[in-house]
Every structure is written in C-alpha cells, then in structure tokens.
C-alpha cells in the first residue's frame, strides 16, 4: 500500500512541483500586503494629526466628488474605529477603486492603487499571469492553477501515508529537523517535518482555494455545508462584494452608475447621521461602511472576517428601516466570507495569519526539497562506468 502511495506522491510531485512552488510562494507574498502597503505609504492611509472632531461627512464626500470625472462617482465611505486612519471613499469604477481623505482637514491624501509587485503576485497566484479571454476561450491559467492545487491535495495526503511512522518514538524523531548531520539529512528533515507541521494549514488553503477554480468543486463544497449554489453565488458576485465593501446593491436608488436618479438633494446628506447612529449602537465596532441607502458594521471578532451586520436606511431622512445581523444569517450568507478567511488565514487574527504565511513558505519549499532528494537518489543509483 505504501508503495502505491509513494508512486502517487512522486508521479504528481514531479510534473506539478514547480507550479505548486509558484502558487504557494505568491500566496505567502500576499498575506501581509495590507501591512506592507501601510508601512510604505503611511501618508495615504493615516491622517497627519487627530483633531477634536472630523468634518461633516457631506462636506468630505462632496469635496472628493468634485475631483472626479463625470463618469465616476462616490459610492460609499469606510470609517475605521481608529481615529488616526483616514476615511476610505469608494468609487463607482474601476472595480474596487477608492480614495483616501483626511477627515479632519478635508485633504485628499491619494487614490488607492495596488502596487505592481502585489498585482504581479496576485495574478501569479490566481492565474499564473494569464488573463481571461474576451472571446470566451479557455482560461488556461486558472485551469492550471486549479489542477495544480487539486494535485497538491493528493500529494499532501499521499505524503502523510508514506511517511507516517509506525511507532511513537519514530514519529517523534520524524518531526525533528537536524542541521549537523549533512545536507541530505537536513533537506530530508525539512521536507518531511516541514510538511507535517504545515499540513493542516496547507490542506485548508488548498481545499478552500479550489472553490475559485472549479464550479463543480464549489457546488460540492457548498453542499457539504448545506448551501445550494445559485447562479449569482460565485466568488465574483458584484452585488455581494459591493454590500460587503459598503458599495451599491444593483437594486439601490443609484443603480449601476452610482448617480442618483430623479432627486435633487445630495446623496450624502444623511450619511453622517447614519454613521453616528451605528457607532453609538456598536461602540466596539471595527469598521462602519455607509452608502446611499445601505450601511454595514464590522465588529472585531474571530472567524469570518467579512461578516458584517447590515442595515438599510431611508436616504431622505436617515431613518434605519431594516436590520440584518450577521449572527442571524443562514449558512448561505456566511460561507463565502468563511472560505476567504480560512484561505488567507485571517480567521484567528494575527497569529493565524503568521502561521499561514509560514505554512505557505513551507509549501513552496516542499517541491524544491523533494526535487533535491529525488535527483540525488537518481544520481546515486546511476551505474558507474
């Protein structure tokens, strides 16, 4: 039985190893993207000085809107509980576009742009730098990433079967990494022990990551948690993303364009009122997002980091008309956020993010150490003369 699994482990690792390394390494590079960006561009994300009180939100939004071209509009604002963080103003386009404004001075600190390095790593991680075909052709990069990730699951499982020790003493020894008994022993220990230590995180990342690659897998994965997949429930669902980000629902008064229809009053008139109501009702909030007719509150919690309490309000007077608490949602309203939180390791705070980062790096090293051991073994078996 072990021989069969050893062959499976080898036959899958050799052709897919390099691809697995690229996927894992690029994933590790993305774990702390936010922290790196904030460290390198602090002037964009943080205010220069905290004043007694922020300027009225309508004044801030109007100032930002005045700088935008006619085809782009303000769709919402994200307000952190940290008074040092600038307000993030979301825009109608391009996708996920936003600007930052100092809420105390009204100074626009800049527009969010993903750094070329992280954009490169994201495209590498998701699509191996490929792009979606406009003519509907096969998205090869996405297919290859998905297939490689699926093979990685089998590689990990077969590796556990092959190297699982028969005794407790042998198990203890197999989890040691020895650095003073030669390079081969070191790389072998790193391959075996490293894989064991990172196994749970690597399987969690791979099994959740596959939901972005294959519709059939996503359907089965969701059904496991009692959720039927609807056509609009894909990970690219714009309506769901907009709600989570504090943007527009397609059925909102502003529709797709983000422009108010048939109204003369400013769409930002009651945003301040709504924010103050929600901040007072949720004193421990992490982030409050307000848009025209809808709002959401993110609370500091473990688990689904995209889980929010959602509200609808009357844009004309700021009266909250509907409340949907995260704790009352069924599985279909929670699963996407849980998948993302587990995949990036944010579900347990900074500790699980660090562990996810380390596990991804170990995952990137496993094919390389495996290649070294395999090639060395092949050379050693080669007949002399």
């Amino acid at each position: 039985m072990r021989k069969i699994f050893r062959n499976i482990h080898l036959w899958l690792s050799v052709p897919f190893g390099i691809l697995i390394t690229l996927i894992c390494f690029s994933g590790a590079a993305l774990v702390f993207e936010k922290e790196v960006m904030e460290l390198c561009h602090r002037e964009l994300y943080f205010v220069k000085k905290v004043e007694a009180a922020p300027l009225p939100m309508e004044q801030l939004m109007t100032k930002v809107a005045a700088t935008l071209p006619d085809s782009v509009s303000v769709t919402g604002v994200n307000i952190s509980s940290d008074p040092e963080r600038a307000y993030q103003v979301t825009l109608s386009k391009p996708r996920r576009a936003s600007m930052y404004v100092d809420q105390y001075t009204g100074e626009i600190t800049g527009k969010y742009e993903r750094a070329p390095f992280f954009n490169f790593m994201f495209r590498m991680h998701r699509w191996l730098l490929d792009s979606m075909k406009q003519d509907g052709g096969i998205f090869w990069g996405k297919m290859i990433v998905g297939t490689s990730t699926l093979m990685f699951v089998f590689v990990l499982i077969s590796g556990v079967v092959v190297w699982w020790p028969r005794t407790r003493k042998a198990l203890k020894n197999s989890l040691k990494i020895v650095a003073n008994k030669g390079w081969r022993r070191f790389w072998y220990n790193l391959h075996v022990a490293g894989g064991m230590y990172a196994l749970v995180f690597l399987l969690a990342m791979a099994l959740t990551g596959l939901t972005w690659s294959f519709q059939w897998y996503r359907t089965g994965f969701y059904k496991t948690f009692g959720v039927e997949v609807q056509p609009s429930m894909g990970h690219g669902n714009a309506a769901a993303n907009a709600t989570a980000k504090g943007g527009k629902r397609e059925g909102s008064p502003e529709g797709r364009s983000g422009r108010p229809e048939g109204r003369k009053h400013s769409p930002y008139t009651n945003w301040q009122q709504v924010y103050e109501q929600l901040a007072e009702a949720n004193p421990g909030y992490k982030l409050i997002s307000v848009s025209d007719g809808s709002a959401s509150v993110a609370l500091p919690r473990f688990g689904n980091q995209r889980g929010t309490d959602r509200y609808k309000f009357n844009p004309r007077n700021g009266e909250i008309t509907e409340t949907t608490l995260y704790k009352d949602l069924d599985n279909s309203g929670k699963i996407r956020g849980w998948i993302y939180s587990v995949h990036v390791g944010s579900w347990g705070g900074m500790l699980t993010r660090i562990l996810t980062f380390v596990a991804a790096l170990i995952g990137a090293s496993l094919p390389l150490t495996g290649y070294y051991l395999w090639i060395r073994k092949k050379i050693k078996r080669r007949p002399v003369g």
Side-chain angles (χ1 to χ4, degrees), residues 368-384:
L368 302 181
T369 53
Y371 281 138
Y372 170 81
L373 296 171
W374 178 62
I375 293 173
R376 185 183 175 93
K377 188 174 181 179
K378 296 286 286 186
I379 294 176
K380 189 175 181 179
R381 285 182 175 178
R382 182 178 298 173
V384 180

Side-chain angles (χ1 to χ4, degrees), residues 276-314:
E276 290 174 355
Q277 289 182 72
L278 296 179
E280 183 178 359
N282 302 274
Y285 76 90
K286 179 181 178 181
L287 186 76
I288 293 179
S289 301
V290 182
S291 61
D292 190 29
S294 65
S296 64
V297 178
L299 299 172
R301 58 163 70 93
F302 289 118
N304 180 2
Q305 296 302 297
R306 289 188 166 182
T308 60
D309 295 335
R310 302 175 186 176
Y311 303 84
K312 290 183 180 180
F313 64 91
N314 187 331

Side-chain angles (χ1 to χ4, degrees), residues 14-174:
V14 171
F16 291 101
I18 290 297
L19 297 174
I20 292 170
T21 292
L22 292 175
I23 294 168
C24 287
F25 180 79
S26 56
L30 293 170
V31 173
F32 292 108
E33 177 183 358
K34 178 181 176 182
E35 285 74 14
V36 172
M37 291 295 292
E38 290 180 355
L39 181 64
C40 296
H41 302 283
R42 185 176 177 81
E43 72 285 351
L44 176 64
Y45 300 96
F46 294 89
V47 301
K48 295 177 181 178
K49 182 181 179 181
V50 176
E51 302 290 350
L55 295 173
M57 200 176 298
E58 183 177 5
Q59 178 180 337
L60 294 171
M61 298 304 102
T62 301
K63 185 168 185 177
V64 172
T67 67
L68 303 174
D70 292 339
S71 60
V72 181
S73 60
V74 170
T75 60
V77 58
N78 299 326
I79 306 165
S80 172
S81 59
D82 184 352
E84 293 186 355
R85 286 187 173 272
Y87 284 7
Q88 181 185 19
V89 181
T90 56
L91 309 178
S92 59
K93 61 181 180 180
R95 187 168 179 260
R96 295 183 180 178
S98 62
M99 298 181 74
Y100 289 84
V101 58
D102 187 324
Q103 61 269 33
Y104 304 105
T105 64
E107 176 189 357
I108 297 174
T109 59
K111 184 176 181 180
Y112 169 78
E113 291 182 348
R114 196 170 207 168
F117 171 78
F118 289 114
N119 187 52
F120 179 88
M121 287 298 173
F122 178 78
R123 294 183 63 240
M124 174 68 74
H125 187 67
R126 292 288 300 276
W127 311 304
L128 286 179
L129 305 181
D130 194 11
S131 298
M132 184 179 294
K133 307 299 184 293
Q134 298 299 322
D135 59 358
I138 298 176
F139 196 171
W140 286 109
K142 181 180 178 181
M143 291 279 292
I144 294 172
V145 167
T147 302
S148 300
T149 304
L150 183 60
M151 295 304 104
F152 190 35
V153 172
F154 290 111
V155 168
L156 290 171
I157 294 174
S158 61
V160 173
V161 175
V162 170
W163 282 291
W164 190 262
R166 290 185 171 87
T167 66
R168 183 174 298 181
K169 182 178 180 180
L171 174 62
K172 185 178 180 181
N173 291 332
S174 69

Side-chain angles (χ1 to χ4, degrees), residues 120-370:
F120 179 88
M121 287 298 173
F122 178 78
R123 294 183 63 240
M124 174 68 74
H125 187 67
R126 292 288 300 276
W127 311 304
L128 286 179
L129 305 181
D130 194 11
S131 298
M132 184 179 294
K133 307 299 184 293
Q134 298 299 322
D135 59 358
I138 298 176
F139 196 171
W140 286 109
K142 181 180 178 181
M143 291 279 292
I144 294 172
V145 167
T147 302
S148 300
T149 304
L150 183 60
M151 295 304 104
F152 190 35
V153 172
F154 290 111
V155 168
L156 290 171
I157 294 174
S158 61
V160 173
V161 175
V162 170
W163 282 291
W164 190 262
R166 290 185 171 87
T167 66
R168 183 174 298 181
K169 182 178 180 180
L171 174 62
K172 185 178 180 181
N173 291 332
S174 69
L175 295 177
K176 293 180 180 179
I177 299 178
V178 181
N180 59 354
K181 293 187 177 181
W183 281 107
R184 185 188 179 283
R185 178 66 180 273
F186 172 74
W187 292 121
Y188 177 83
N189 290 157
L190 187 62
H191 187 78
V192 176
M196 290 292 186
Y197 285 127
L199 177 66
V200 173
F201 280 89
L202 290 174
L203 280 175
M205 286 185 278
L207 293 174
T208 52
L210 283 169
T211 61
W212 279 277
S213 296
F214 302 116
Q215 177 65 42
W216 61 266
Y217 180 90
R218 180 163 60 248
T219 301
F221 191 94
Y222 281 24
K223 281 187 176 180
T224 302
F225 295 94
V227 177
E228 291 292 331
V229 177
Q230 302 298 326
S232 61
M233 283 188 63
H235 289 288
N237 180 11
N241 291 337
T243 302
K245 297 288 184 181
K248 292 289 168 293
R249 293 176 182 266
E250 289 189 14
S252 69
E254 289 189 14
R256 293 178 179 270
S257 66
R259 292 292 185 187
E261 298 175 2
R263 292 181 300 166
K264 296 181 180 180
H265 76 286
S266 167
Y268 327 119
T269 301
N270 294 297
W271 287 15
Q272 184 74 36
Q273 176 185 335
V274 172
Y275 162 69
E276 290 174 355
Q277 289 182 72
L278 296 179
E280 183 178 359
N282 302 274
Y285 76 90
K286 179 181 178 181
L287 186 76
I288 293 179
S289 301
V290 182
S291 61
D292 190 29
S294 65
S296 64
V297 178
L299 299 172
R301 58 163 70 93
F302 289 118
N304 180 2
Q305 296 302 297
R306 289 188 166 182
T308 60
D309 295 335
R310 302 175 186 176
Y311 303 84
K312 290 183 180 180
F313 64 91
N314 187 331
R316 293 188 176 277
N317 58 22
E319 178 187 0
I320 294 177
T321 58
E322 183 180 322
T323 299
T324 304
L325 300 181
Y326 173 76
K327 65 183 181 65
D328 296 331
L329 295 176
D330 57 17
N331 288 343
S332 63
K334 298 178 179 179
I335 189 168
R336 282 192 299 269
W338 263 108
I339 289 173
Y340 177 81
S341 298
V342 170
H343 186 71
V344 302
S346 61
W347 59 271
M350 183 56 71
L351 176 60
T352 52
R353 292 179 67 200
I354 293 173
L355 292 175
T356 297
F357 172 75
V358 174
L361 288 180
I362 291 175
S365 74
L366 291 178
L368 302 181
T369 53

